[in-house]
Every structure is written in C-alpha cells, then in structure tokens.
Amino acid sequence: MKILAVYPGSFDPVTNGHLDIIMRGSRLFDEIVVAILRNPEKKAMFSLRERERVLARATAGIANVKVDSFEGLLVDYARKRGARVIVRGLRALSDFEYEYQMALMNRRLDSEIETVFMMPNEAYSYLSSRLVKEVVGLGGSVSGLVPPDVERQLGMRIGNGPASGKRTRKARKGGRR
Ligand code: PNS
C-alpha cells in the first residue's frame, strides 16, 4: 500500500530548512504533498500564489512531491487526500511543546492519521521564516538560507533590492540613503 504524507505549514516564506524536510520526506514516503495553509485571518507577507509558485519551482526536481493549499482542519484535508501521515519538522526542543499538542489534537480528531516528526539538517536548526523576514528587514543577508527566488522577493519587498545584504552594507557606508 502506498503511503501518502502531507507536510503542512504557512511557508511564509519557504526556507531551506523546509526544503530539507521535504527532501527527507520524499525519500521516506511514496508521495509527499506540501500543503500551504490558506488562512484569511493571518496576514502573510507572500500571497498564496507566490508561495505556491516558489515551492513548486524549488521542488520541481523531486518527482513524488506535490504542492497544494488547504483551509479548515488539517486532518480533514489529509483524509480527503488519502494521506495517512502528517510530517512536521522539529528543529529544537523549543518546537516540541507546540508540535506535541498539535500532534495529539490531530490524533484525537482522527486516530488513523499519524504525525511523523523529522529533524532538518542541523545547519538549519535555528532557521525560521520569521527570523528570515526580520534579518532582511534589518538589512542582513539570508543567502544560503532560502531559495534564490525567495531571497530576490524578500529583497524587493522588505530589503534594499534584489541582493539586499550586499546593498545594505554599501548603504551603511553612505552610498545610499
Ligand atoms: O508553518 P506553521 O505556521 O507552523 O503551520 C501550522 C499549521 C498550518 C500546520 C497549523 O496551523 C494547522 O494545521 N492549521 C490548520 C487548522 C487545524 O487543523 N488546526 C488544528 C491543529 S491541532
């Protein structure tokens, strides 16, 4: 029997830590659906369309990865897709409490669906979408931490241009106001 997994999240924006988990999941499961939460109440920096496009491009080389979006209860979506597994990344102990609560609540809602925690490469253990936005907003570089598409979009949106880190150093030296 084929095992289909769902990897849900906000992905606002996707980081290389997320992509690391997707890659690991793709080796473990027959198919992994990256499911972006559609939440009109939560103001995202990137539109759903942008997040879908970036994720689709970043995972284009992995045959058993699909990108989709969902709203409502995750377990309802997983059931509808025929997925028996929810994948979540665990970076550090600090993630555990929230993830544990979610996993047990999801189990209570549907005992047939298992949550599987996966650890990203330790190089990404400190990486989060929130920090990425903060660093770019303050003029730092996130090169190597997010896909090139995301780096470019972040630079345009909240940094000082496509290569925000470099430009900002110049700006600090007085080359730009
Ligand atoms: O990337 P995030 O923001 O940590 O992802 C959180 C997500 C999307 C997995 C979580 O908010 C979720 O599953 N939302 C769907 C609504 C739901 O099912 N809530 C009950 C979960 S216990």
Side-chain angles (χ1 to χ4, degrees), residues 45 130-143 145 151 154-173 176-177:
M45 171 171 288
R130 184 184 62 77
L131 275 185
V132 160
K133 286 181 277 196
E134 185 175 321
V135 167
V136 174
L138 295 171
S141 167
V142 290
S143 175
L145 299 178
E151 194 182 345
L154 280 165
M156 302 292 230
R157 204 147 306 179
I158 52 175
N160 290 310
S164 60
K166 281 181 210 149
R167 290 239 196 144
T168 303
R169 275 197 297 279
K170 191 176 163 197
R172 274 202 295 271
K173 284 184 194 156
R176 195 190 157 102
R177 266 171 226 233

Side-chain angles (χ1 to χ4, degrees), residues 15-18 20-21 24 90-92 119-128 131-132 142-146:
T15 68
N16 287 351
H18 292 127
D20 184 271
I21 295 287
R24 287 169 201 280
L90 265 191
R91 289 163 301 189
M119 272 69 70
N121 186 307
E122 61 273 19
Y124 304 126
S125 58
Y126 60 90
L127 182 58
S128 71
L131 275 185
V132 160
V142 290
S143 175
L145 299 178
V146 293

Side-chain angles (χ1 to χ4, degrees), residues 8-11 37 42 70 72-75 88 98 102 105-106:
S10 305
F11 305 106
L37 176 67
K42 200 168 150 190
F70 76 104
L73 280 179
L74 173 59
V75 288
R88 289 290 288 171
Y98 170 63
M102 256 199 329
M105 180 58 86
N106 282 331

